[in-house]
């Protein structure tokens, strides 16, 4: 049987099974069933068919509106989300950095001279981790690094290297999020919820103490797995092609682009100390970079640089994620998982730790938005911590360590979406699943090991 026919048959069978499964729970009303059917069906079609990911997401969102599981305004609210505007602004930023010549200089700096493919991957790892302290947005970090990926793959036209680097950069962006309190806006939401529900908090230094060593170790494991899954020993050992980059002092365009980028980074880093949100900063930066005389590219070129299919994909995905929360589907899933666990005040620490790890690592499968995961999961987890006599700070941080992992489906992370949204995608959903099949268990094992070796001795003991 041809592969396409087998996949189509598998997808059809899974859709039928999903429809039957969501009809069984008596506690669910129709909107919650529809939300689970829409998101689960979209996930099946993303993985097992060749349909456009954006088309599937938009169709699933339209289905929710058509069956009256969500209001019609949900579609418009998805397009008006700050995440959508952030992505639009950062696409223009990435193109401006590329056109100005700064991307070429950065690429040459990271690639070095005579660097091997394996060495390049380790250099990228060490270069990407610090960005978690500078840019509090995975999509912002992804778009800043997108021109770097283009320059590397254009200079060395090897499809295997294109795939490996195209997966490595967004994977490291995602995995390194836990390193810093400012690595994601959801971390700040976590601290706010922790203070409100338990009168305790986590400071910047504390988060870095717990998150940086773990994040660095997880990034090193990620780099090793990608290098050995998608590249053979001969490819890892060969030299990377020489990168052509501007030499001499910075040009006027490079100075202007660099000044805008630094200003945007400064505003992103100090969010909360001024009235401008991350998305607003991105759009203002895009306007300045396309401004006559001052900017470095025309407005028309900036608009063309935006992947509008990706914008629709993200907007529709937000509709799906919000529907899971607003209909109560996500709450039911969490409650069912906790009830099935059978945990109680006398339960040993290991099962509780294992449950937190599994819940965190799988949360991205049914809640697309990182912040939405924290908002939906953390309050019930903190209430559970109170019932079980657990340290709320440990529960909050460990839950975030798990929720920061989202490398199963492209829709699970905006960084993945940005890199898959290229004209010639370097990798497929199947490649991501192949990586996740090994990385997810390794990440879970690292969490458990980190708890017993380090976290439990530095203020993160569950009891």
């Amino acid at each position: 049987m041809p592969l396409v026919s087998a996949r189509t048959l598998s997808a059809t069978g899974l859709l039928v099974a999903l429809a039957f499964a969501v009809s069984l729970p008596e506690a669910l009303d129709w909107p919650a069933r529809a939300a689970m059917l829409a998101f689960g069906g979209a996930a099946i079609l993303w993985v097992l068919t060749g349909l456009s990911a954006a088309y599937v997401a938009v169709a699933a969102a339209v289905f929710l509106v058509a069956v009256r599981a969500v209001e019609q305004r949900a579609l418009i609210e998805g397009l008006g989300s700050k995440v959508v505007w952030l992505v639009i602004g950062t696409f223009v930023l990435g193109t401006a950095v590329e056109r100005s010549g700064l991307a070429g200089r950065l690429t040459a700096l990271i690639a070095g001279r005579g660097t091997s493919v394996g060495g390049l991957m380790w250099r990228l790892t060490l270069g990407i981790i610090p960005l978690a302290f500078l840019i509090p947005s995975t999509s912002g970090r992804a778009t800043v690094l997108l021109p770097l990926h283009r320059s590397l793959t254009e200079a060395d036209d090897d499809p295997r290297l294109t795939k490996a680097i195209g997966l490595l950069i967004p994977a490291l962006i995602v995995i390194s999020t836990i390193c810093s309190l400012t690595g994601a806006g959801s971390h700040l939401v976590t601290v706010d919820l922790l203070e409100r529900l338990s009168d305790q908090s986590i400071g910047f230094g504390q988060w870095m103490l717990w998150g940086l060593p773990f994040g660095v170790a997880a990034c090193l494991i990620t780099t090793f797995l990608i290098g050995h899954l998608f590249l053979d020993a001969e490819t890892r050992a060969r030299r990377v092609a020489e990168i052509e980059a501007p030499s001499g002092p910075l040009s006027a365009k490079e100075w202007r682009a660099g000044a805008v980028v630094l200003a945007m980074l400064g505003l992103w880093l100090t969010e909360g100390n001024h009235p401008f949100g991350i998305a607003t900063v991105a759009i203002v930066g895009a306007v300045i970079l396309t401004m006559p005389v001052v900017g470095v590219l025309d407005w028309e070129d900036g608009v063309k640089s935006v992947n509008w299919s990706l914008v629709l994909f993200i907007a529709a995905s937000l509709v799906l994620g919000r529907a899971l929360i607003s209909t109560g589907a996500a709450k039911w899933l969490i409650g069912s998982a906790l009830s099935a666990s059978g945990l109680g005040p006398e339960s040993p620490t290991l099962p509780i730790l294992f449950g937190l790890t599994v819940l965190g690592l799988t949360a991205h499968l049914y809640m697309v938005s990182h912040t939405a995961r924290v908002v939906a999961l953390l309050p019930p987890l903190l209430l559970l911590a109170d019932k079980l006599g657990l340290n709320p700070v440990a529960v909050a941080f460990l839950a975030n360590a798990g929720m920061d992992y989202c490398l199963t489906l492209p829709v699970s992370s905006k960084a993945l979406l940005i890199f898959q949204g290229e004209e010639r995608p370097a990798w497929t959903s199947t490649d991501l699943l192949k990586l996740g099949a090994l990385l997810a268990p390794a990440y879970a094992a690292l969490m458990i090991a980190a708890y017993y070796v380090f976290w439990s001795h530095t203020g993160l003991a569950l009891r």
Side-chain angles (χ1 to χ4, degrees):
M1 181 181 294
L3 179 61
V4 173
S5 299
R7 285 192 167 193
T8 301
L9 184 61
S10 299
T12 302
L14 286 173
L15 288 172
V16 172
L18 174 67
F20 177 73
V22 300
S23 68
L24 294 178
E26 296 181 359
L28 290 176
D29 55 15
W30 166 243
R33 296 179 198 273
M36 293 171 66
L37 183 60
F39 189 83
I44 291 169
L45 295 176
W46 284 328
V47 174
L48 293 178
T49 73
L51 291 172
S52 165
Y55 173 79
V56 171
V58 171
V62 170
F63 165 78
L64 287 174
V65 173
V67 300
R68 307 192 70 175
V70 299
E71 298 292 334
Q72 296 181 42
R73 66 174 182 272
L75 293 175
I76 306 303
E77 290 173 351
L79 285 170
S81 167
K82 64 181 181 181
V83 174
V84 169
W85 287 98
L86 173 64
V87 169
I88 292 173
T90 50
F91 261 112
V92 177
L93 168 64
T95 301
V97 170
E98 186 176 11
R99 296 278 183 90
S100 69
L102 282 177
R105 290 182 185 270
L106 176 62
T107 303
L109 178 64
I110 291 180
R113 291 186 176 274
T115 305
S116 67
V117 170
L120 172 64
M121 296 182 73
W122 293 115
R123 291 171 71 104
L124 281 171
T125 304
L126 296 178
I128 289 173
I129 291 174
L131 293 181
F133 292 87
L134 298 176
I135 307 176
S137 161
T138 54
S139 57
R141 298 199 289 276
T143 310
V144 167
L145 291 169
L146 189 60
L148 171 64
H149 173 252
R150 290 173 182 163
S151 300
L152 285 170
T153 54
E154 287 172 2
D156 194 316
D157 192 18
D158 181 343
R160 292 171 300 178
L161 178 62
T162 299
K163 177 182 291 189
I165 299 298
L167 264 176
L168 178 67
I169 294 176
L172 290 175
I173 289 170
V174 170
I175 295 297
S176 63
T177 300
I178 191 62
C179 292
S180 169
L181 179 60
T182 56
S186 59
H187 293 172
L188 303 176
V189 174
T190 293
V191 172
D192 180 71
L193 289 172
L194 183 63
E195 291 174 347
R196 290 171 183 243
L197 297 175
S198 70
D199 293 327
Q200 298 193 49
S201 187
I202 303 176
F204 185 92
Q206 285 179 307
W207 194 292
M208 186 171 68
L209 169 67
W210 298 325
L212 183 58
F214 175 81
V216 170
C219 285
L220 295 177
I221 291 172
T222 302
T223 303
F224 177 84
L225 287 177
I226 292 176
H228 286 75
L229 277 174
F230 300 101
L231 299 173
D232 55 32
E234 183 179 349
T235 302
R236 292 195 302 271
R238 77 166 177 81
R239 298 297 178 187
V240 179
E242 290 291 330
I243 306 294
E244 293 186 9
S247 58
L250 296 178
S251 66
K253 276 190 173 183
E254 289 173 323
W255 275 112
R256 294 199 299 272
V260 173
V261 169
L262 287 176
M264 292 173 68
L265 292 178
L267 290 171
W268 280 340
L269 183 59
T270 57
E271 188 190 20
N273 297 320
H274 53 76
F276 306 110
I278 294 175
T280 302
V281 172
I283 291 298
V284 171
V287 170
I288 295 173
L289 290 168
T290 55
M291 187 181 296
V293 182
V294 176
V296 298
L297 73 161
D298 295 332
W299 171 257
E300 289 76 11
D301 292 334
V303 172
K304 290 177 182 177
S305 71
V306 179
N307 187 326
W308 294 104
S309 178
L310 175 62
V311 169
L312 290 174
F313 186 16
I314 292 174
S317 298
L318 289 173
V319 174
L320 297 179
R322 290 170 179 174
L324 285 172
I325 297 171
S326 64
T327 62
K331 183 178 180 180
W332 180 85
L333 288 169
I334 297 165
S336 299
L338 291 175
S339 297
S341 68
L343 296 176
E346 304 302 322
S347 299
T349 299
L350 182 58
I352 295 173
L353 175 62
F354 184 77
L356 274 174
T357 301
V358 171
L359 181 61
L361 261 66
T362 57
H364 67 281
L365 297 176
Y366 47 89
M367 276 182 278
V368 178
S369 167
H370 202 153
T371 301
R373 283 173 235 154
V374 169
V375 172
L377 285 173
L378 195 59
L381 284 176
L382 290 176
L383 292 175
L384 179 68
D386 183 60
K387 291 181 180 179
L388 300 182
L390 304 177
N391 176 6
V393 172
V395 169
F397 184 86
L398 292 171
N400 268 270
M403 286 187 279
D404 280 347
Y405 179 91
C406 42
L407 293 173
T408 304
L409 298 171
V411 70
S412 303
S413 169
K414 294 182 285 296
L416 292 170
L417 288 174
I418 288 172
F419 273 78
Q420 198 192 40
E422 288 279 77
E423 290 184 13
R424 294 184 301 166
W427 47 270
T428 64
S429 296
T430 304
D431 294 322
L432 188 59
L433 285 173
K434 181 179 177 182
L435 172 63
L438 292 178
L439 184 56
Y443 192 94
L446 181 64
M447 279 189 64
I448 294 172
Y451 175 81
Y452 284 105
V453 173
F454 178 59
W455 286 336
S456 62
H457 303 291
T458 55
L460 274 185
L462 285 167
R463 287 197 171 99

